[in-house]
Amino acid sequence: MTPKERKDLQKLDDLVLNATSDELKKIQEIDHQTQLEGVSFFDVYLDSRSLIHKNIKKQSRKF
């Protein structure tokens, strides 16, 4: 694993560890959907990091 991959994985870990219960539900939904599509949540997170983070925050505030 490269240093950049480690840094990105740490950011993803921080996102999960610091998420509220509503945000965790959204993360779980995204993770489930990516598994159904045959891709990993980590890969999707890397490709659209800010989009996923914003969507999780936005969705969790609707509840």
Side-chain angles (χ1 to χ4, degrees):
M1 186 178 284
T2 67
K4 180 168 178 5
E5 289 171 327
R6 283 190 190 102
K7 184 178 177 182
D8 289 338
L9 189 55
Q10 181 62 48
K11 288 180 182 179
L12 180 57
D13 288 346
D14 291 343
L15 174 69
V16 172
L17 291 172
N18 296 317
T20 65
S21 60
D22 289 335
E23 291 167 348
L24 285 173
K25 287 178 187 176
K26 188 62 182 171
I27 291 169
Q28 185 178 24
E29 290 173 21
I30 294 169
D31 183 40
H32 180 74
Q33 186 62 40
T34 58
Q35 288 178 37
L36 291 174
E37 294 172 1
V39 295
S40 75
F41 181 79
F42 179 72
D43 290 336
V44 172
Y45 174 79
L46 288 179
D47 289 341
S48 58
R49 186 175 317 145
S50 61
L51 176 63
I52 288 176
H53 189 69
K54 288 177 185 174
N55 282 342
I56 291 167
K57 294 284 187 189
K58 183 177 177 183
Q59 290 294 327
S60 68
R61 288 187 183 135
K62 288 183 179 180
F63 294 107

